[in-house]
Amino acid sequence: MPRLLTEIDKIRRQVLTEVSRLTFEGRLLREIEELPYKLYDEGIRNYRCCQYKERAVLKERIRLAVGQDPKRDREPLVNAAIKALKEDKVEGSMLRVIDIACDRCPIDAILVTDACRNCVAHNCVNACPKKAIQIINGKAVIDKEKCVECGLCAKACSFGAILQLQRPCERSCEVKAISSSEDRHAVIDEEKCVSCGACTVGCPFGAISYKSEIVPVIKRLKEKDDVIALVAPSISGQFGRSVSLGQVITGLKELGFSEIREVAVAADEVAKLEAEEEIDGWLTNSCCPAYKNYVTKHFPELKDHVSHQLSPMALMATQIRKEKPNSYLVFIGPCLSKKEEAQELVDAVLTFEEIACMFVARDINLATLGKSPYTDSPSKYGLGFAQSGGVSAALGTYKSVKVKTLNGLSECKKALLLAKANRIDAEFLEGMACSGGCVGGPGTLVDANFSRRVLQSEISEREKEE
Amino acid sequence: MIYLEICLGTACHLMGSEEIFSSIEKLPPSVREKITVRGMHCLNACDQGPNVRINGKVYHRMTPEKLIEVIEEIGGEADA
Ligand code: SF4
Ligand code: SF4
Ligand code: FES
């Protein structure tokens, strides 16, 4: 997680836990309509103007938790529950704006505050290339018609009296996919969105969130189907300092998963295949779906440089599917973008957050469980895919190439712009949409630095065991 | 001396007990050395986490800020 846990995260987790509980216990249809009242009574309140608004927002959070799109009208929740229980898959775009939760933050980009002292130099006036600033009644005033929002005045003022504002959602979106509708609600432009999920973390009102896939997964678990978990390498440390992977495996079995496989072994294979790929100038990774979307949507002329290998998740799913065509495959990881990558290959993608809510709903306390043995033995390089630099390190074991690691979408952007101008000084670009790599993904439960530390110690422990 | 028990059970973890733990690690050494920290598996109030027990008393829905307040209060009493 890129920042501290906020009230928004806690509310989302409470909602996911309650919806999991109702689904597991077969009470979803009967009790979903009451859930906003129950959650309100249990203390999710005082964030909004009144109880009606608070519950209306909760209602849409619940709709997302059962995997349905938020609504603006008063459609009952039970309709969403009926649909969710009937459908096998959560469809469409996963990142959704909850209109009623969006505070429609002001869009004035440049704002003169009371800190303006009507100084003698008038640096702001001089700095403005469009002559949009005048001093009226002892204060700088910006002519909105002329202002191009360049921010030069804000930089020029010696008192810092001019603020350059941006809506938090828009600022969080590195690919500029978020804009404002006519009535000032946030809207996501699907053409531009790469599904990294940064906006779900960026909006301080929790107005952007993701559609959960807990309902279809719980349904399969209850039907005792052959449900197989594919866990991402970044799982290390996600459930806290006192919980080992062996305990997580026991917990997943108690939830009803028949087998638990580590995607890190497939990462090892992908690195090998990527090393064998012909390089025409330079190559870049395909394992981070948000980064891959970024290249294909925003730099289409560079898309031939993207590795043709499947992502580790997709590779492993394909292999398991061959052996067990009737199994139901669930990827568990830190990633929201994987939810859309999954479509055909994997049946469902859960975040670490969603699976943790399912544990809590079943009163499974991982800290008290015994350890189960591992099925797979990935190398430290496969496990290292979880963090920025990991793909490059794995590749380096097969051949020596000049690599550049791009940590987060803003670094990716700079490097891709250079690549577009043919000014690239590497043979392999390792792009990760999330800062720090997957350990910094939006679906994680712990701070990225913490899980990186745990990952290191887990790697050395596994090496000792061998 | 402050005896601090932090619940690391899954329900409390989901609500942020790891953050409580790391907030203690970040305290200045002079304060930190007065606190004995222990991780617990459950404090039997799973729906009100994160839970901590300080010198025998359980506090619910803990946050790093609240914890610092309680520690300062207790520390102050002990000094007086
Ligand atoms: S940050 Fe964006 S999505 Fe969030 S409340 Fe403000 S305008 Fe709405
Ligand atoms: S860095 Fe990892 S978690 Fe983030 S979008 Fe890419 S694959 Fe997903
Ligand atoms: S898990 Fe913390 S009180 Fe039970």
Side-chain angles (χ1 to χ4, degrees):
Chain A
M1 214 168 24
R3 43 90 189 92
L4 291 179
L5 199 65
T6 67
E7 274 322 294
I8 311 249
D9 302 304
K10 293 189 186 176
I11 294 173
R12 191 181 54 247
R13 291 175 185 184
Q14 263 169 281
V15 170
L16 286 169
T17 306
E18 283 312 314
V19 168
S20 301
R21 202 187 315 268
L22 293 180
T23 314
F24 269 120
E25 295 173 8
R27 298 188 282 135
L28 188 67
L29 291 179
R30 223 175 325 126
E31 294 180 33
I32 192 169
E33 220 68 65
E34 286 301 309
L35 193 52
Y37 294 87
K38 178 172 182 261
L39 288 165
Y40 179 83
D41 290 342
E42 282 175 2
I44 302 185
R45 53 168 85 189
N46 302 332
Y47 302 111
R48 303 286 174 171
C49 54
C50 62
Q51 51 171 309
Y52 305 101
K53 174 114 188 216
E54 192 80 59
R55 286 196 295 260
V57 173
L58 277 170
K59 193 170 159 186
E60 299 318 310
R61 296 198 192 286
I62 295 167
R63 227 188 282 278
L64 282 169
V66 299
Q68 304 294 312
D69 288 323
K71 292 258 162 41
R72 267 185 161 181
D73 49 33
R74 300 183 173 208
E75 193 179 315
L77 279 175
V78 70
N79 293 1
I82 293 173
K83 251 183 118 194
L85 288 169
K86 204 159 52 195
E87 286 169 1
D88 244 350
K89 241 187 160 62
V90 174
E91 303 273 5
S93 305
M94 294 291 175
L95 300 176
R96 285 317 211 193
V97 178
I98 306 174
D99 280 345
I100 179 166
C102 172
D103 212 53
R104 306 192 294 155
C105 304
I107 35 185
D108 274 351
I110 307 284
L111 185 76
V112 184
T113 66
D114 286 347
C116 167
R117 314 232 327 120
N118 187 15
C119 66
V120 180
H122 289 158
N123 289 335
C124 58
V125 176
N126 301 337
C128 177
K130 294 289 172 188
K131 307 254 166 296
I133 308 182
Q134 276 183 301
I135 306 296
I136 301 174
N137 294 336
K139 193 180 167 193
V141 175
I142 299 176
D143 181 344
K144 296 261 150 54
E145 299 289 313
K146 292 187 186 157
C147 171
V148 291
E149 302 176 355
C150 66
L152 288 173
C153 55
K155 286 193 197 90
C157 174
S158 320
F159 300 101
I162 303 181
L163 299 181
Q164 186 165 18
L165 300 172
Q166 212 182 359
R167 308 218 292 183
C169 52
E170 292 179 21
R171 187 169 51 224
S172 71
C173 181
E174 216 47 78
V175 302
K176 304 217 175 330
I178 302 184
S179 59
S180 146
S181 69
E182 256 166 40
D183 58 2
R184 294 217 327 251
H185 286 108
V187 265
I188 302 176
D189 180 348
E190 309 285 342
E191 299 286 311
K192 291 187 186 155
C193 174
V194 300
S195 312
C196 66
C199 52
T200 65
V201 181
C203 169
F205 283 94
I208 309 185
S209 193
Y210 67 93
K211 290 199 289 205
S212 168
E213 295 172 74
I214 49 179
V215 174
V217 174
I218 294 175
K219 210 173 73 182
R220 291 305 187 115
L221 289 171
K222 282 173 71 179
E223 285 164 5
K224 305 229 177 326
D225 285 347
D226 191 12
V227 186
I228 301 180
L230 284 68
V231 302
S234 47
I235 196 160
S236 292
Q238 288 300 327
F239 299 91
R241 62 188 65 208
S242 65
V243 173
S244 68
L245 181 57
Q247 286 170 300
V248 181
I249 296 179
T250 310
L252 289 170
K253 288 194 172 147
E254 287 199 5
L255 272 183
F257 286 91
S258 57
E259 221 182 297
I260 290 88
R261 301 292 309 274
E262 284 181 75
V263 175
V265 282
D268 273 326
E269 281 178 64
V270 169
K272 181 157 180 276
L273 293 168
E274 246 159 31
E276 285 163 6
E277 228 173 294
E278 286 286 326
I279 296 190
D280 171 23
W282 56 278
L283 189 72
T284 192
N285 59 306
S286 60
C287 60
C288 168
Y291 169 70
K292 190 175 167 187
N293 288 341
Y294 186 45
V295 179
T296 45
K297 287 188 174 183
H298 294 258
F299 297 88
E301 62 276 51
L302 301 179
K303 70 171 190 295
D304 290 338
H305 292 278
V306 178
S307 152
H308 296 91
Q309 302 312 322
L310 291 174
S311 70
M313 169 185 89
L315 179 65
M316 181 168 235
T318 320
Q319 291 166 345
I320 301 179
R321 188 80 77 198
K322 247 187 238 151
E323 285 166 43
K324 305 185 165 183
N326 294 323
S327 53
Y328 183 85
L329 307 182
V330 183
F331 177 81
I332 300 171
C335 186
L336 294 180
S337 193
K338 289 267 183 216
K339 283 184 178 282
E340 288 177 30
E341 180 201 348
Q343 300 300 342
E344 315 280 290
L345 302 157
V346 180
D347 296 295
V349 169
L350 297 179
T351 58
F352 292 130
E353 171 175 272
E354 288 171 287
I355 199 80
C357 293
M358 287 166 58
F359 285 136
V360 174
R362 293 309 271 161
D363 295 328
I364 294 174
N365 184 350
L366 299 176
T368 61
L369 301 180
K371 290 186 196 177
S372 294
Y374 310 135
T375 313
D376 298 297
S377 14
S379 80
K380 66 175 177 191
Y381 297 104
L383 292 168
F385 263 59
Q387 47 184 324
S388 167
V391 179
S392 311
L395 201 65
T397 61
Y398 296 103
K399 70 172 174 196
S400 96
V401 279
K402 187 156 188 214
V403 296
K404 192 166 168 50
T405 42
L406 316 171
N407 185 357
L409 277 176
S410 70
E411 283 188 28
C412 295
K413 180 175 178 182
K414 276 185 219 132
L416 291 169
L417 282 170
L418 284 175
K420 197 168 140 181
N422 261 326
R423 282 169 46 210
I424 185 169
D425 164 37
E427 291 159 287
F428 186 81
L429 292 183
E430 180 205 290
M432 294 280 172
C434 297
S435 147
C438 302
V439 288
T444 52
L445 291 166
V446 291
D447 177 68
N449 289 324
F450 173 80
S451 51
R452 212 174 292 128
R453 271 204 315 273
V454 180
L455 181 68
Q456 282 321 320
S457 60
E458 211 148 281
I459 287 174
S460 41
E461 225 164 87
R462 285 176 90 142
E463 277 181 340
K464 254 187 274 156
E465 277 168 28
E466 270 162 28
Chain B
M1 208 52 204
I2 295 175
Y3 191 62
L4 171 66
E5 295 162 291
I6 303 176
C7 179
L8 298 176
T10 304
C12 288
H13 178 67
L14 184 63
M15 289 296 149
S17 48
E18 202 46 65
E19 252 170 37
I20 309 271
F21 227 116
S22 48
S23 71
I24 295 296
E25 285 162 357
K26 283 186 207 121
L27 286 174
S30 59
V31 186
R32 175 72 187 81
E33 68 191 9
K34 293 198 189 112
I35 309 173
T36 312
V37 187
R38 230 184 114 195
M40 303 299 286
H41 285 167
C42 186
L43 292 172
N44 300 320
C46 311
D47 56 352
Q48 298 173 67
N51 294 303
V52 303
R53 189 156 59 198
I54 306 174
N55 293 347
K57 181 170 177 229
V58 178
Y59 296 77
H60 306 301
R61 300 191 210 287
M62 201 26 104
T63 62
E65 300 79 47
K66 265 204 258 169
L67 182 61
I68 306 293
E69 267 172 44
V70 180
I71 287 175
E72 274 173 4
E73 230 169 76
I74 296 180
E77 279 165 24
D79 290 343

